[in-house]
Amino acid sequence: MRKTYLIVTSLLASLTANAAPNPEMILVCYPGGAVNAKDANAAMSSMLRVVERVGQWPENSFTSLFTAKADECKKQIADKHPKFAITSLGLYLELRSQHNLVPVVQPKIKGQSSERYRVMVQKDKYQNLDQLKGKAVGGTVLEEPSFISKIVLAGKYDLAGFNLKPSNQAIRALRSLDKGELDAVILNEQQFNGLASLQMSTPLVPIFTSEEIPLMGVVANSTTTTPEERLRFGQALEGMCADSEGKKLCDLFGVEAFASVDTAVFEPMIKLWTDGK
């Protein structure tokens, strides 16, 4: 999801027509990611300038704050109350009630606005998740264990039964799996699609594939933004990939478009989260 987070962040210069004395802070939360905060903020800054031009908003109206730690994201949302943020689906589900978060736009990647998660193992070593009980399971997505347990595994498996080994690099986790240092690795869709480019000594196969899970893009605080702001914001993002310069950025990061959210797609996720233990 690294590419999605960076490109979405670059598209957030759409909150107001007048530059404020202090730039509006856009919070970007990428739990478990290997993105360096300095590099991420530098990339976001240059891309925000493009969006300001596309949307005809004053230059330097916006700035970004990036974190790859879920706990730090929660703290920043509580302390700074940003109007708009990029969060993972797990953070949205956890914080939506407390901070009045509502989805605004979703990215489309390869024509899809949803993804599946997979549990990968060495071929012929394990056949199902029950056989992984007590075994070493890695992955960047383990930065959010509640999300994996409640949403990805749909509450059917208790993560306490596995020996979890969180990682901030999917490639490193996969290399460890290839060497037998890990028994399994949980991958999101983008990480799974990157497997073909890696040379492994042992074939890797999925023993579990999740149901489709909606991609999370941008959320807004519904109490500090107006419906008009959210509508204008969403429309600006939807037009980004149609712009000649914006399209280059979208192509670079593999995002085909941004679409307004049908909130109904998140209802099953909210129920799973609420019902989960």
Side-chain angles (χ1 to χ4, degrees), residues 81-204:
H81 309 288
K83 289 184 175 181
F84 289 86
I86 298 171
T87 72
S88 65
L89 177 58
L91 284 169
Y92 160 70
L93 293 170
E94 180 178 351
L95 303 176
R96 66 183 189 85
S97 296
Q98 181 181 357
H99 296 287
N100 307 294
L101 301 180
V102 293
V104 178
V105 294
Q106 286 183 281
K108 284 198 172 223
I109 300 175
K110 294 187 176 181
Q112 301 294 319
S113 56
S114 63
E115 64 177 338
R116 295 180 188 270
Y117 287 67
R118 294 167 175 85
V119 178
M120 307 298 298
V121 300
Q122 290 185 4
K123 186 177 179 180
D124 298 327
K125 191 168 184 179
Y126 302 100
Q127 282 70 50
N128 55 61
L129 292 182
D130 289 326
Q131 295 178 351
L132 284 177
K133 295 291 181 65
K135 304 297 184 180
V137 179
T140 64
V141 297
L142 291 175
E143 172 71 14
E144 296 184 276
S146 292
F147 170 73
I148 297 301
S149 179
K150 294 180 180 183
I151 305 300
V152 174
L153 301 179
K156 297 177 181 178
Y157 295 89
D158 185 356
L159 285 185
F162 304 97
N163 181 13
L164 302 183
K165 302 288 186 180
S167 171
N168 66 353
Q169 291 187 3
I171 292 178
R172 181 177 297 172
L174 287 167
R175 296 295 186 199
S176 295
L177 175 59
D178 189 43
K179 296 175 183 176
E181 298 168 350
L182 291 175
D183 296 289
V185 171
I186 306 177
L187 300 179
N188 61 33
E189 190 85 25
Q190 190 175 60
Q191 293 167 345
F192 176 75
N193 289 338
L195 265 179
S197 64
L198 300 179
Q199 292 184 345
M200 298 291 181
S201 58
T202 304
L204 304 181

Side-chain angles (χ1 to χ4, degrees), residues 227-246:
E228 292 75 21
E229 282 181 309
R230 296 193 294 273
L231 177 62
R232 182 185 177 208
F233 180 36
Q235 289 175 338
L237 297 178
E238 288 177 52
M240 179 65 185
C241 294
D243 174 79
S244 58
E245 290 300 314

Side-chain angles (χ1 to χ4, degrees), residues 1-2 4-10 12 25-31 35 37 40-41 44 48 63-69 72-73 76-77 82 84-88 91 217-218:
M1 294 297 293
R2 171 181 178 176
T4 301
Y5 275 82
L6 289 180
I7 187 65
V8 173
T9 304
S10 76
L12 292 177
M25 188 270 286
I26 307 299
L27 181 63
V28 184
C29 304
Y30 179 26
V35 182
N41 281 318
M44 294 167 199
L48 278 170
T63 187
S64 62
L65 177 63
F66 174 89
T67 178
K69 296 295 183 182
E72 178 64 17
C73 181
Q76 292 296 338
I77 288 180
F84 289 86
I86 298 171
T87 72
S88 65
L91 284 169
V218 179

